Amino acid sequence: MWLAAAAPSLARRLLFLGPPPPPLLLLLLSRSSRRRRRLHSLGLAAMPEKRPFERLPADVSPINYSLCLKPDLLDFTFEGKLEAAAQVRQATNQIVMNCADIDIITASYVPEGDEEIHATGFNYQNEDEKVTLSFPSTLQPGTGTLKIDFVGELNDKMKGFYRSKYTTPSGEVRYAAVTQFEATDARRAFPCWDEPAIKATFDISLVVPKDRVALSNMNVIDRKPYPDDENVVEVKFARTPVMSTYLVAFVVGEYDFVETRSKDGVCVRVYTPVGKAEQGKFALEVAAKTLPFYKDYFNVPYPLPKIDLIAIADFAAGAMENWGLVTYRETALLIDPKNSCSSSRQWVALVVGHELAHQWFGNLVTMEWWTHLWLNEGFASWIEYLCVDHCFPEYDIWTQFVSADYTRAQELDALDNSHPIEVSVGHPSEVDEIFDAISYSKGASVIRMLHDYIGDKDFKKGMNMYLTKFQQKNAATEDLWGCLENTSGKPIAAVMTTWTKQMGFPLICVEAEQVEDDRLLRLSQRKFCASGPYVGEDCPQWMVPITISTSEDPNHAKLKILMDKPEMNVVLKDVKPDQWVKLNLGTVGFYRTQYSSAMLESLLPGIRDLSLPPVDRLGLQNDLFSLARAGIISTVEVLKVMEAFVNEPNYTVWSDLSCNLGILSTLLSHTDFYEEIQEFVKDVFSPIGERLGWDPKPGEGHLDALLRGLVLGKLGKAGHKATLEEARRRFKDHVEGKQILSADLRSPVYLTVLKHGDGTTLDTMLKLHKQADMQEEKNRIERVLGATLSPELIQKVLTFALSEEVRPQDTVSVIGGVAGGSKHGRKAAWKFIKDNWEELYNRYQGGFLISRLIKLSVEGFAVDKMAGEVKAFFESHPAPSAERTIQQCCENILLNAAWLKRDADSIHQYLLQRKASPLQFCCFTQG
């Protein structure tokens, strides 16, 4: 599931990049200790106790489910008939299954060759989402058939078997019946053994209106009139392979499709809303290239005869990898050649790559329990990039990985309230909590590091061994390590256990000394903490694959080592005194680096003259920014480094820089010098903005389009006069139909005019939203509405977020946009959430959208007392699946407050000095 050249003296001013002198170290430690005491006083330092939970008993298990469902698309109910071939392993007079929001009408068990035994009682344990069927006599060991007739509701919660609202081309509102079962919601569609390790085959039939499309995991083998109603047909699907319940899927609705065959002969279809088949062609092309790529990479064929990719109107996740029937948000699948922007095409390519990887890694071989979810999601989140790099090398996608996944994971994993990649999961309410950046992005990052450590050839051999050995079975993390160890001969389990079983990651401190013609490096590791140096008694240790490069050949490692102890000395042979030395080539190792002042000083000119590769420039800047956030260096020094990026051409480097400046801008919105940081943003982004201009030039490609949108949006939001004027002119022409904005310019233009607009601008934007036929365009507008500044208009946007105009899954990004738009917006969004909590919680319940909503809305606060307020609100309004997110948000609020207290004055002074002596700073940035 698919839940960014300084003057030589600069480095000398970065006084604390080497090991800090004792008085400073004591200061930092005491600060960190104080903050941890503050966390404890707020009750934020540890997660609440887990709820008691038992997995299903093993005395009865399914072999095959024969399931027939008849959804009513008008009354939003469904009738179901289940005949499950089952194995009784030990004598029992009851069968315990998962069941939620379903009413069982009758149940019986027919032992093979014996008489039917009718159940005499159904005991629902609603809290644990189980039902116990009681029988008057003992069921003896052997096989038999469990028969259950039941009814359920096509709910509006985007989980289980639910209804999805759509509008026909003629404007009529109708509903489709669709599914989302991961993690634990198959039990809302039919009583079942809803655990990933309890696999079975499925024979599915759907009784549906004859003018509707009916789809499931397998191909249709029969379609015949239904006896009682000439307007209804019964559609039967072929038997599935052995599979887990969470991967079962069915869809009933109105769709068009485009199709092709992959070079391996698999039938590939993309289903779209009626009249939009053209918009499925890009995803079809990606899917048809992707299936053979994975077949070759794993050396295991795709095991089903067909694969369908379908766009669902109301969908909580980005996409879901149901075997043979992959469901997507419309924006994650549909591309309009004229109206889709470059970033949307890239997103579709990544999501298609992610979900199709699961067809092998997750579906063919499935995690034994949710504790190993990271293996599914981390692996797919890594290999989606490998796949897109194969299909679209011009995307430079691995550099983007560092900004999109690697740094995001490190940000979360530096918190005291992070969690290990592998989390012991019990009760269903705990599963949604781990669909987060640790399972996905840190998981992907450590697999990328592992792939680099092993080498592609041995990695592929290990993957083939794993998929072949465990196909149609279940596996745990250790099983994969065993296969990779077997093919590589390296200590994979020992290395990777340090990354998956303990939370966090190391900060590698490095100092260098020239010894004749060689360079001696002194390395030490300690846990990196967002609150400053680690202060615990027993500091965790990692086995860290480290690569070292030099200016002689910046793109290749001069030395690779495995750092398996707290401190190490390394000798680099034949390194001249004037050559720089850099750790973590390609920003592949999952650690941060803290250089001595001299080493940093030698690296910084490589930013300005671009001799450092792009991904290394990005990593260096991001490490420095994180060290500043943690209070290990001054934020002012990072601002000075940022000014050295004046010649930077790379989109992803700018993207990361932009993201970090956005974090700083949000922090400084709590001060009275917010405008000064906007001036800084304009100074940094103006040169690249002038070079790029507004219109594409001959020979430009995908990354130029992304960069132009990013830079113009940044300048426009900061109030850059020329950008604002041009944005207003182009917006007016767009609205009047004189010159339609290209898709890549719409977000930056919409953002700019809204941020500096009035009520009329907002009304125009809402009108464009209503007129938009494409969900991508609606989402584009929804995400920027929060930029408006007037309190009255902010309230209007928040009210709009809960209106019928916004799809349920998109309400979150509208409210989040308001919270991220301004200081007033943040307060208003938080009040709105508190005032409308019942409706919002009822809408999203246990799903991960509730966590996302909370995170987007409160994380930008920077006052200690807000952490207490947020904690108190959720103590009286519990959200079990978001408990960890709430803890992390409160911790981030305290960290923001400490950062502001620590650095606000020095940042202000620096910005004032820049204003007073612009020439001095101009000379500095130009070198």
Side-chain angles (χ1 to χ4, degrees):
M1 194 158 55
W2 218 79
L3 280 193
S9 60
L10 173 60
R12 283 195 288 274
R13 294 189 215 125
L14 289 164
L15 294 174
F16 309 136
L17 280 172
L24 176 70
L25 181 58
L26 291 172
L27 173 69
L28 291 172
L29 295 181
S30 67
R31 179 195 299 148
S32 195
S33 304
R34 282 200 304 274
R35 201 196 62 77
R36 285 196 177 85
R37 285 199 296 274
R38 177 88 177 116
L39 274 178
H40 280 285
S41 72
L42 281 168
L44 299 176
M47 287 298 294
E49 286 181 26
K50 288 178 178 279
R51 292 162 71 175
F53 172 76
E54 284 182 13
R55 283 166 69 167
L56 293 171
D59 48 9
V60 182
S61 58
I63 301 163
N64 168 268
Y65 293 84
S66 179
L67 176 66
C68 181
L69 290 169
K70 185 184 179 190
D72 185 324
L73 300 176
L74 298 175
D75 289 341
F76 307 135
T77 58
F78 60 89
E79 299 169 18
K81 194 179 264 305
L82 172 67
E83 293 193 2
Q87 174 91 38
V88 178
R89 298 180 187 282
Q90 56 188 59
T92 179
N93 62 355
Q94 60 183 34
I95 295 177
V96 183
M97 306 171 75
N98 291 113
C99 181
D101 303 333
I102 279 174
D103 289 322
I104 294 174
I105 299 163
T106 62
S108 63
Y109 180 75
V110 187
E112 197 172 320
D114 211 335
E115 291 184 12
E116 189 166 8
I117 307 168
H118 289 273
T120 50
F122 319 132
N123 177 22
Y124 298 95
Q125 294 107 56
N126 293 334
E127 188 76 3
D128 288 335
E129 300 180 343
K130 291 175 183 171
V131 65
T132 301
L133 309 178
S134 301
F135 294 90
S137 57
T138 302
L139 312 183
Q140 296 300 330
T143 55
T145 304
L146 176 66
K147 299 180 178 181
I148 303 178
D149 289 355
F150 58 94
V151 292
E153 178 197 7
L154 287 174
N155 69 67
D156 59 354
K157 305 286 187 277
M158 295 186 285
K159 62 182 183 178
F161 198 13
Y162 71 93
R163 61 186 187 264
S164 171
K165 186 165 79 171
Y166 64 97
T167 306
T168 66
S170 64
E172 184 188 344
V173 171
R174 290 185 185 167
Y175 290 85
V178 303
T179 56
Q180 170 58 38
F181 290 163
E182 189 177 25
T184 56
D185 291 314
R187 61 195 66 176
R188 292 175 204 284
F190 56 101
C192 55
W193 289 263
D194 198 12
E195 296 182 358
I198 308 179
K199 288 188 168 188
T201 57
F202 290 81
D203 294 304
I204 291 171
S205 300
L206 297 173
V207 178
V208 301
K210 67 180 181 185
D211 61 348
R212 296 294 193 270
V213 172
L215 301 170
S216 187
N217 304 83
M218 297 297 287
N219 48 301
V220 174
I221 53 170
D222 192 22
R223 184 183 172 97
K224 61 186 181 191
Y226 192 64
D228 304 339
D229 188 340
E230 63 178 16
N231 293 315
V232 172
V233 292
E234 182 175 1
V235 183
K236 285 191 174 178
F237 300 91
R239 177 169 291 188
T240 70
V242 173
M243 62 187 281
S244 303
T245 48
Y246 80 89
L247 295 166
V248 174
F250 16 92
V251 174
V252 180
E254 295 174 281
Y255 300 93
D256 286 344
F257 68 85
V258 287
E259 74 175 325
T260 189
R261 282 198 178 272
S262 73
K263 73 177 187 186
D264 303 318
V266 178
C267 178
V268 185
R269 285 183 175 180
V270 174
Y271 283 85
T272 73
V274 173
K276 296 185 177 179
E278 177 80 8
Q279 294 178 22
K281 286 185 175 175
F282 178 72
L284 185 72
E285 175 199 331
V286 175
K289 285 182 183 174
T290 297
L291 284 176
F293 171 75
Y294 287 144
K295 180 200 166 226
D296 293 345
Y297 195 85
F298 298 132
N299 198 18
V300 174
Y302 174 72
L304 306 187
K306 64 93 176 175
I307 188 155
D308 299 327
L309 293 73
I310 185 165
I312 304 295
D314 294 324
F315 198 74
M320 174 63 210
E321 68 266 20
N322 318 295
W323 217 357
L325 175 57
V326 186
T327 45
Y328 294 79
R329 276 193 188 194
E330 288 184 8
T331 50
L333 190 69
L334 304 181
I335 291 295
D336 180 334
K338 292 197 181 94
N339 292 299
S340 286
C341 61
S342 301
S343 58
S344 292
R345 296 170 74 86
Q346 181 175 296
W347 192 44
V348 167
L350 283 168
V351 182
V352 169
H354 181 102
E355 303 308 332
L356 297 195
H358 277 311
Q359 306 302 303
W360 285 262
F361 208 95
N363 300 7
L364 182 64
V365 179
T366 310
M367 72 228 147
E368 194 279 332
W369 184 244
W370 300 108
T371 296
H372 307 284
L373 170 78
W374 86 272
L375 203 54
N376 259 20
E377 297 303 348
F379 183 84
S381 299
W382 168 75
I383 206 167
E384 72 187 54
Y385 283 86
L386 196 72
C387 173
V388 168
D389 192 46
H390 166 77
C391 295
F392 304 99
E394 69 275 17
Y395 284 8
D396 184 29
I397 205 71
W398 280 117
T399 305
Q400 295 193 56
F401 174 90
V402 175
S403 182
D405 282 89
Y406 173 100
T407 57
R408 182 167 157 253
Q410 287 192 335
E411 200 173 301
L412 182 56
D413 206 29
L415 298 178
D416 290 346
N417 283 293
S418 181
H419 63 85
I421 283 179
E422 273 196 37
V423 180
S424 176
V425 171
H427 196 277
S429 67
E430 296 165 16
V431 179
D432 280 323
E433 278 199 89
I434 57 170
F435 283 91
D436 66 0
I438 300 298
S439 295
Y440 282 71
S441 298
K442 183 180 179 184
S445 298
V446 299
I447 286 171
R448 175 172 169 252
M449 177 172 70
L450 174 65
H451 173 266
D452 187 67
Y453 173 58
I454 292 176
D456 190 59
K457 187 179 170 189
D458 287 342
F459 188 86
K460 280 162 85 167
K461 279 187 195 166
M463 293 309 309
N464 171 259
M465 178 186 282
Y466 174 78
L467 290 169
T468 306
K469 184 176 180 180
F470 295 100
Q471 61 184 318
Q472 298 197 354
K473 299 189 185 113
N474 295 80
T477 303
E478 291 72 24
D479 297 315
L480 178 60
W481 297 162
C483 292
L484 291 171
E485 203 158 286
N486 187 294
T487 58
S488 70
K490 292 185 174 178
I492 305 304
V495 171
M496 294 309 292
T497 297
T498 67
W499 296 96
T500 61
K501 302 280 192 192
Q502 61 185 2
M503 76 179 199
F505 58 92
L507 172 66
I508 306 293
C509 298
V510 54
E511 291 182 310
E513 183 186 335
Q514 190 72 26
V515 182
E516 296 178 351
D517 293 336
D518 304 332
R519 194 76 56 89
L520 170 67
L521 302 184
R522 294 187 185 87
L523 309 179
S524 63
Q525 62 161 300
R526 63 173 185 257
K527 185 178 188 294
F528 180 78
C529 300
S531 55
Y534 182 81
V535 293
E537 302 235 334
D538 300 313
C539 189
Q541 296 294 315
W542 287 263
M543 293 178 75
V544 193
I546 287 179
T547 51
I548 305 170
S549 59
T550 71
S551 47
E552 185 181 25
D553 187 356
N555 291 296
H556 294 94
K558 186 173 180 72
L559 186 66
K560 292 185 176 186
I561 58 166
L562 183 66
M563 185 175 182
D564 55 0
K565 49 179 83 101
E567 295 180 351
M568 277 180 92
N569 287 349
V570 177
V571 176
L572 286 180
K573 293 284 185 188
D574 302 320
V575 178
K576 296 184 179 69
D578 61 345
Q579 289 179 352
W580 53 251
V581 170
K582 185 183 179 298
L583 266 61
N584 207 2
L585 172 68
T587 318
V588 172
F590 197 75
Y591 56 88
R592 293 204 179 279
T593 307
Q594 184 179 349
Y595 293 98
S596 67
S597 297
M599 288 186 79
L600 182 68
E601 183 177 323
S602 69
L603 281 166
L604 291 180
I607 293 175
R608 196 175 62 249
D609 66 18
L610 309 180
S611 58
L612 270 172
V615 73
D616 291 292
R617 299 196 294 270
L618 187 162
L620 191 60
Q621 180 268 137
N622 198 280
D623 279 350
L624 290 172
F625 187 75
S626 296
L627 290 167
R629 282 181 91 174
I632 296 170
I633 64 171
S634 161
T635 306
V636 168
E637 308 308 339
V638 184
L639 291 174
K640 292 171 183 173
V641 171
M642 286 176 170
E643 293 191 89
F645 282 84
V646 68
N647 301 318
E648 182 57 57
N650 186 278
Y651 159 70
T652 312
V653 178
W654 276 114
S655 175
D656 196 66
L657 200 62
S658 167
C659 181
N660 289 339
L661 277 171
I663 291 166
L664 197 55
S665 291
T666 300
L667 183 79
L668 298 180
S669 67
H670 298 275
T671 69
D672 56 5
F673 59 92
Y674 177 71
E675 286 311 313
E676 274 88 343
I677 192 68
Q678 298 315 300
E679 289 300 317
F680 179 86
V681 170
K682 285 185 270 189
D683 288 349
V684 170
F685 278 83
S686 292
I688 182 72
E690 285 166 20
R691 287 203 299 273
L692 285 167
W694 278 81
D695 299 304
K697 299 174 181 66
E700 283 189 352
H702 174 80
L703 292 166
D704 300 293
L706 293 180
L707 180 56
R708 180 172 287 107
L710 173 81
V711 171
L712 291 176
K714 203 73 178 172
L715 286 170
K717 189 177 180 185
H720 182 256
K721 191 164 178 288
T723 306
L724 177 54
E725 286 169 2
E726 183 65 8
R728 282 176 171 156
R729 185 187 71 76
R730 290 184 182 237
F731 182 67
K732 184 170 179 288
D733 286 353
H734 176 72
V735 171
E736 292 172 358
K738 289 181 189 170
Q739 179 70 51
I740 299 302
L741 279 166
S742 72
D744 286 314
L745 287 180
R746 286 182 203 172
S747 280
V749 168
Y750 293 169
L751 175 72
T752 301
V753 298
L754 264 172
K755 174 91 176 176
H756 307 282
D758 55 16
T760 309
T761 318
L762 179 61
D763 288 341
T764 306
M765 204 64 81
L766 293 174
K767 189 177 169 191
L768 286 177
H769 181 277
K770 198 171 184 66
Q771 290 169 348
D773 180 46
M774 241 193 116
Q775 196 56 32
E776 179 187 324
E777 176 72 355
K778 285 186 184 290
N779 284 173
R780 196 168 11 240
I781 293 167
E782 287 160 1
R783 282 196 296 268
V784 299
L785 290 175
T788 192
L789 291 176
S790 141
E792 183 188 333
L793 299 180
I794 283 170
Q795 213 49 51
K796 186 173 180 177
V797 171
L798 288 168
T799 305
F800 172 76
L802 275 179
S803 72
E804 286 289 312
E805 297 291 319
V806 179
R807 286 187 179 165
Q809 71 265 26
D810 298 323
T811 296
V812 172
S813 54
V814 180
I815 298 172
V818 171
S822 63
K823 185 180 178 180
H824 180 79
R826 194 153 41 249
K827 288 178 180 171
W830 172 231
K831 183 177 187 305
F832 185 79
I833 284 172
K834 290 188 292 183
D835 292 346
N836 295 277
W837 177 250
E838 197 173 332
E839 182 179 349
L840 289 163
Y841 186 69
N842 186 45
R843 179 183 287 198
Y844 303 123
Q845 289 191 347
F848 44 82
L849 282 174
I850 202 78
S851 293
R852 183 166 170 74
L853 176 69
I854 293 166
K855 179 180 168 65
L856 288 173
S857 303
V858 306
E859 212 169 43
F861 286 115
V863 182
D864 280 358
K865 70 173 185 183
M866 279 306 303
E869 185 181 315
V870 170
K871 178 177 180 285
F873 178 79
F874 288 112
E875 278 176 350
S876 56
H877 301 80
S881 68
E883 279 176 350
R884 194 188 305 275
T885 298
I886 293 161
Q887 304 268 17
Q888 290 165 349
C889 288
C890 291
E891 184 178 349
N892 267 317
I893 293 169
L894 294 176
L895 287 167
N896 289 341
W899 188 12
L900 200 59
K901 215 174 290 179
R902 190 174 63 236
D903 279 3
D905 286 347
S906 60
I907 294 170
H908 192 194
Q909 286 307 311
Y910 173 70
L911 295 175
L912 290 176
Q913 285 167 13
R914 283 183 86 257
K915 212 185 228 176
S917 316
L919 278 176
Q920 175 191 335
F921 290 96
C922 177
C923 292
F924 166 77
T925 57
Q926 298 296 334

